[in-house]
Amino acid sequence: MSFTIPPMAEPYKIKMVEPVKITTREFRENAAKEAGYNTFLLRSEDVYIDLLTDSGTNAMSEYQWAGIMLGDEAYAGSKNYYFLESAMKECFGYKHLVPAHQGRGAEHLVSKALIKQGQWVPGNMYFTTTRQHQELQGGHFVDVIVDAAHDPNNEDPFKGNVDLVKFEKLIKEKGAENIAYITIGVTVNLAGGQPVSMQNLREVGELAHKNNIKVILDATRAMENAYYIKTREKGYENKSVKEILREMCSYTDGATCSGKKDFHTNIGGFAACNDDDFAQNMRSNVVVYEGLQTYGGMAGRDMEAMARGMLEACEDHVMKHRIAQSEYLWNKLDKAGVPLVRPCGGHGVFVDAKAFYPQVPQEQYTAQALAIDIYIHSGVRSMERGIVSAGRDQETGKEHKPKLETVRLTIPRRVYTQSHFDVVADSIIDLYQQRDKGRGLKMVYEPKALRFFQARFEKL
């Protein structure tokens, strides 16, 4: 099954350029070794094309840059906060806004407000920082995503959906009172950027609310998900991204959001909700951990840029081009036989590392090895999404072994052109033709939490 979007020219003109350094293979081999074969520890100046993440790496529009000059840096009651609040209500529809410095700040506020020691927190596949905050508050994450999400070759158009049978079984086994809330990520990052259908969101909301369980949306890439609903779900083809987004949020009780993705900004985020007491709890904590409730760790100029980017991201043509860039790279790699997570996800292309390097066992960090090999081969930086990111069980200490072991080629918004993606595709295709040379890694330094950021490795 194919969901190809026709190629389209960039809906913007380039007004400024940033030079990049061209390096040799010998240089990159030394840089990789110094970085402990962890792409997060590479210096950005030593990277040719940076597909590590789409978080805070996007290009802002002239409208956003103009807004930077309107920053009201008052400690309390900044006018930029009220514009951000207005934009959030227009796009998402929630009653209350609590700003945070980025998405994980919002995750902390929600986890602290809603989780009691020993409670269960179901979700449609874990995300690293989300689960970490839940566990720090004494919660236990439970994966209730559909089984198709764990199969890279399954072409279900909505592999991010919650499995209602799994969710209902958890409610019956643990008791609704022992479930803090259910979190729904849209799109699902670790499943390969896979979307959630509107029907599934509606049904999850009905089941949760029937049992007095809150639904929290991870809305970090909600505009991408709305566009997938528009193009893949019957009945939504004539609705706008903004209309679809508002309906998505209507089935939930609140959200966490990183402004560093869909909103094209370099910093920022928020938590939102409809319940007055929930909002007040988060506002009490935001002044302790982030900043005052009217800036939440951001400068006024950042809030202005985020509000403007939020409004821009709801424009259909902006999201159409966003998804088209992912599709372009995905199609080039797929036609050459490179094993990928199917279908193409929103914010990037996910390479199936197990199928790319079948000779490297997961215990030797297959995706981590492939990610660093891609850098050494071409100067393209990507990131691991597999056993390293999954970390260890908090009780047994054993490594989680996810079924998906992938390398994420994440696409920053409005940064790279089609020519850049041709280079990326050609280099990975060339490496795939030499895949029998791939070998694994040994972890020689492991931090206590979120190890994929700081762990160091040696080549085997």
Side-chain angles (χ1 to χ4, degrees):
M1 187 180 296
S2 175
F3 301 98
T4 302
I5 296 171
M8 62 179 290
E10 287 78 10
Y12 50 81
K13 295 187 293 185
I14 296 170
K15 189 173 286 189
M16 184 195 78
V17 296
E18 177 185 347
V20 294
K21 183 164 68 177
I22 308 299
T23 60
T24 64
R25 182 182 180 92
E26 182 182 8
F27 177 93
R28 295 191 296 270
E29 286 175 343
N30 290 330
K33 186 175 182 179
E34 289 178 10
Y37 299 101
N38 185 341
T39 54
F40 275 95
L41 300 180
L42 291 167
R43 296 184 180 219
S44 67
E45 63 181 345
D46 297 337
V47 173
Y48 175 40
I49 298 175
D50 201 345
L51 306 185
L52 182 77
T53 181
D54 63 331
S55 180
T57 58
N58 308 291
M60 293 200 297
S61 67
E62 61 180 5
Y63 180 56
Q64 288 179 286
W65 279 110
I68 290 285
M69 301 308 297
L70 299 177
D72 174 8
E73 307 306 339
Y75 187 83
S78 166
K79 67 180 181 182
N80 309 120
Y81 165 80
Y82 294 105
F83 179 40
L84 177 60
E85 181 184 53
S86 172
M88 185 281 295
K89 289 181 178 180
E90 178 181 338
C91 296
F92 292 87
Y94 295 111
K95 181 179 178 181
H96 299 287
L97 171 77
V98 183
H101 76 283
Q102 63 182 81
R104 67 194 61 173
E107 292 169 347
H108 178 213
L109 296 174
V110 168
S111 298
K112 199 165 183 64
L114 297 183
I115 299 174
K116 297 177 182 176
Q117 182 71 35
Q119 284 188 313
W120 304 86
V121 190
N124 58 337
M125 197 173 283
Y126 82 97
F127 182 67
T128 50
T129 59
T130 311
R131 187 179 69 186
Q132 186 68 32
H133 284 299
Q134 291 167 350
E135 291 178 349
L136 286 171
Q137 291 304 317
H140 302 284
F141 171 80
V142 182
D143 188 2
V144 292
I145 201 167
V146 293
D147 290 340
H150 298 285
D151 179 0
N153 297 310
N154 189 301
E155 299 213 32
D156 189 313
F158 291 104
K159 287 166 70 172
N161 281 353
V162 170
D163 187 319
L164 294 167
V165 174
K166 292 179 184 177
F167 182 29
E168 189 166 30
K169 181 181 178 183
L170 183 71
I171 295 171
K172 291 178 179 178
E173 287 182 355
K174 306 299 182 184
E177 69 281 4
N178 294 316
I179 295 177
Y181 57 90
I182 181 170
T183 181
I184 304 179
V186 291
T187 53
V188 183
N189 193 340
L190 285 149
Q194 302 299 320
V196 179
S197 72
M198 189 71 81
Q199 179 181 342
N200 189 249
L201 281 166
R202 187 183 307 115
E203 291 173 346
V204 170
E206 290 171 356
L207 178 57
H209 294 146
K210 184 176 71 175
N211 289 277
N212 294 315
I213 297 170
K214 280 185 167 58
V215 179
I216 302 298
L217 194 70
D218 179 347
T220 291
R221 297 181 181 88
M223 277 80 163
E224 289 181 6
N225 199 103
Y227 189 79
Y228 274 128
I229 289 174
K230 178 180 176 68
T231 56
R232 294 184 182 180
E233 191 164 358
K234 187 177 180 180
Y236 290 92
E237 55 274 5
N238 295 320
K239 291 194 174 185
S240 69
V241 166
K242 186 184 293 184
E243 289 173 320
I244 294 169
L245 178 62
R246 288 287 296 265
E247 184 180 343
M248 287 168 58
C249 296
S250 73
Y251 303 124
T252 71
D253 302 282
T256 60
C257 188
S258 168
K260 300 170 66 177
K261 280 81 170 178
D262 277 350
F263 309 154
H264 306 97
T265 48
N266 305 124
I267 200 67
F270 66 82
C273 67
N274 295 318
D275 182 84
D276 295 345
D277 291 337
F278 181 18
Q280 190 54 47
N281 187 309
M282 289 194 290
R283 287 187 178 121
S284 296
N285 281 315
V286 80
V287 299
V288 177
Y289 296 105
E290 296 281 320
L292 202 68
Q293 65 271 13
T294 52
Y295 75 88
M298 286 182 284
R301 64 181 77 94
D302 298 324
M303 290 190 285
E304 184 71 20
M306 190 164 84
R308 292 180 177 220
M310 186 185 300
L311 295 169
E312 286 183 337
C314 281
E315 297 174 11
D316 287 12
H317 75 277
V318 171
M319 210 46 60
K320 180 180 180 180
H321 177 258
R322 165 66 176 158
I323 302 302
Q325 282 201 319
S326 295
E327 290 276 3
Y328 179 80
L329 177 58
W330 191 95
N331 284 327
K332 287 209 70 170
L333 292 170
D334 183 53
K335 286 177 182 177
V338 176
L340 306 171
V341 173
R342 317 177 72 87
C344 180
H347 63 291
V349 175
F350 287 67
V351 180
D352 181 356
K354 285 183 179 179
F356 197 110
Y357 277 170
Q359 74 275 22
V360 179
Q362 194 173 24
E363 295 80 5
Q364 293 179 10
Y365 310 112
T366 319
Q368 188 76 35
L370 177 55
I372 203 65
D373 284 351
I374 290 172
Y375 169 73
I376 292 171
H377 192 67
S378 63
V380 174
R381 176 158 67 166
S382 58
M383 75 164 293
E384 181 268 3
R385 277 303 185 214
I387 189 172
V388 180
S389 293
R392 297 183 181 274
D393 185 283
Q394 62 177 340
E395 294 180 357
T396 67
K398 293 183 178 180
E399 288 186 308
H400 292 293
K401 292 185 179 180
K403 292 181 180 179
L404 289 179
E405 182 77 15
T406 67
V407 168
R408 189 181 76 180
L409 302 164
T410 334
I411 298 178
R413 296 158 187 82
R414 304 191 292 212
V415 172
Y416 294 115
T417 66
Q418 183 172 306
S419 296
H420 289 102
F421 297 119
D422 287 338
V423 171
V424 172
D426 291 345
S427 63
I428 291 176
I429 291 166
D430 186 58
L431 183 63
Y432 185 58
Q433 293 169 350
Q434 306 172 43
R435 59 190 178 275
D436 58 317
K437 298 178 182 178
R439 52 198 175 97
L441 299 170
K442 173 185 177 183
M443 190 180 295
V444 294
Y445 168 69
E446 180 178 1
K448 292 182 179 180
L450 300 175
R451 63 186 189 174
F452 64 96
F453 284 130
Q454 300 178 62
R456 300 183 72 87
F457 304 85
E458 289 180 354
K459 281 272 188 180
L460 292 175

